[in-house]
Amino acid sequence: MNLHRLRYLVQLSELFVQGRAHEHWPQLASHIGAIERELGVKLVEHKGATLLGLTAAAREYVPTVDRILKSHDAAMEEAAAMASGLSGVLRLGITEDATTMRLSVLLRAFARAWPTIEVQLIEGRTSTLVEALRRHDIDLVLAPIAPDEAQVSSTAVWEAPWQVAMPPGHRLARHQVLRCEDLADEDLVMADPIASPQGHDLIDKAFRKASVEPRIVALMLTRSSMLTLVACGMGCTFVPRHMPITKLLDLRPLQVPPMVIHAIYSSEGLGSIASRFLDFALHPPGPME
């Protein structure tokens, strides 16, 4: 059945209601006749050259045709939206270091701008997320370290300056800004470099470059564990700025290169939705902090 002809039938039904069917009948007659021949059912009552109205069969048929046409139009709009990156699902892998207020604000702004895109968040280590990326189980990864691998590409998205988190009343809290040298004699709680490196390997490199040997007293798997130990007075740790943490700790900027959050994706290219998100992250409509 030709969908365009079915639209003419719905249009004719509306014209009968408006009392204008006779004006447009010359343009519609051939299309309605074709539908009648295909269905083997009379759809329009005539008396000579005068149109009387739709037949009972047509009056039953038109609402069904209208639903079919609207369903078809909605499906076409959805397909076009998905093709242009306006609708669908984004599977976004995130590391703990990328989970700051910057990401929270970005996700809220993206949801307002593209309400038809569902963002599914998958948290994990960079290596685990990149492996999922290779399997096409994830569309995009946000992580502080971009793997140097042929199968993936990366783009720097934002910078996150480092802060020192210390117990309240710590002696270093009197400083406005801290350097690695200031922490030379301090107990440090760090991320496990093997099990959960996160961005702390960047801190370790900064200490080495400053010729300071970090005095590490604990290696932890999660940020929450590190902050708990700091709150208990076991030492200091390092967090990206705008990391939502307890107000019970003192924070001071650390004078080291900022952590750079990268968008990591398959070297085969980005899908339309992932590309839309990356472009939004690189060119946000307003402040993201």
Side-chain angles (χ1 to χ4, degrees):
M1 179 67 68
N2 188 306
L3 291 182
H4 288 294
R5 283 179 174 158
L6 290 178
R7 293 186 194 279
Y8 292 133
L9 177 59
V10 174
Q11 181 184 4
L12 179 63
S13 174
E14 295 170 350
L15 289 170
F16 271 121
V17 173
Q18 298 168 11
R20 300 171 51 212
H22 65 284
E23 299 175 22
H24 298 270
W25 179 246
Q27 293 81 29
L28 299 176
S30 62
H31 300 293
I32 302 303
I35 298 173
E36 289 179 327
R37 289 191 294 274
E38 187 168 349
L39 293 176
V41 175
K42 188 176 181 181
L43 299 174
V44 180
E45 293 283 3
H46 302 262
K47 186 174 183 181
T50 304
L51 295 178
L52 299 179
L54 296 179
T55 63
R59 290 194 298 274
E60 290 288 333
Y61 185 47
V62 166
T64 301
V65 169
D66 192 42
R67 286 194 298 272
I68 291 172
L69 292 174
K70 288 178 178 176
S71 177
H72 172 265
D73 291 344
M76 292 297 291
E77 289 176 5
E78 183 177 351
M82 292 184 68
S84 63
L86 298 177
S87 176
V89 176
L90 171 66
R91 299 167 301 174
L92 181 63
I94 56 173
T95 60
E96 190 174 37
D97 282 312
T99 312
T100 65
M101 290 303 296
R102 170 69 183 251
L103 176 62
S104 176
V105 174
L106 173 64
L107 290 174
R108 287 200 301 269
F110 186 74
R112 288 193 297 269
W114 305 105
T116 56
I117 295 178
E118 176 189 352
V119 178
Q120 296 178 352
L121 299 177
I122 304 96
E123 186 181 10
R125 295 172 54 192
T126 302
S127 58
T128 303
L129 294 173
V130 170
E131 184 58 36
L133 188 68
R134 292 197 198 94
R135 297 195 307 267
H136 303 289
D137 293 335
I138 287 179
D139 304 307
L140 194 67
V141 174
L142 294 177
I145 300 174
D148 185 17
E149 301 178 21
Q151 289 180 294
V152 298
S153 300
S154 65
T155 300
V157 183
W158 72 77
E159 293 185 348
W162 286 101
Q163 297 183 114
V164 181
M166 61 191 80
H170 193 280
R171 67 178 187 83
L172 292 178
R174 68 178 185 271
H175 296 279
Q176 293 301 310
V177 179
L178 294 173
R179 302 170 303 151
C180 293
E181 292 84 348
D182 298 323
L183 294 154
D185 298 323
E186 296 298 323
D187 292 340
L188 301 177
V189 179
M190 302 282 284
D192 189 308
I194 298 177
S196 182
Q198 305 178 70
H200 276 196
D201 50 356
L202 302 174
I203 294 290
D204 186 69
K205 290 177 182 178
F207 270 78
R208 306 295 177 187
K209 187 174 181 179
S211 300
V212 176
E213 181 70 27
R215 195 166 78 186
I216 301 172
V217 297
L219 294 174
M220 309 305 293
L221 297 180
T222 66
R223 184 84 64 198
S224 59
S225 297
M226 287 182 263
L227 293 173
T228 298
L229 293 185
V230 171
C232 293
M234 291 190 62
C236 301
T237 193
F238 307 95
V239 295
R241 192 174 71 182
H242 302 306
M243 176 73 69
I245 63 174
T246 174
K247 294 181 179 180
L248 296 177
L249 303 180
D250 285 335
L251 298 171
R252 293 295 181 273
L254 181 63
Q255 203 171 57
V256 297
M259 177 175 62
V260 179
I261 299 299
H262 294 82
I264 305 170
Y265 44 91
S266 171
S267 56
E268 298 174 4
L270 280 167
S272 56
I273 294 177
S275 178
R276 183 78 61 176
F277 179 84
L278 178 55
D279 183 67
F280 190 89
L282 291 171
H283 308 287
M288 289 289 107
E289 298 182 358

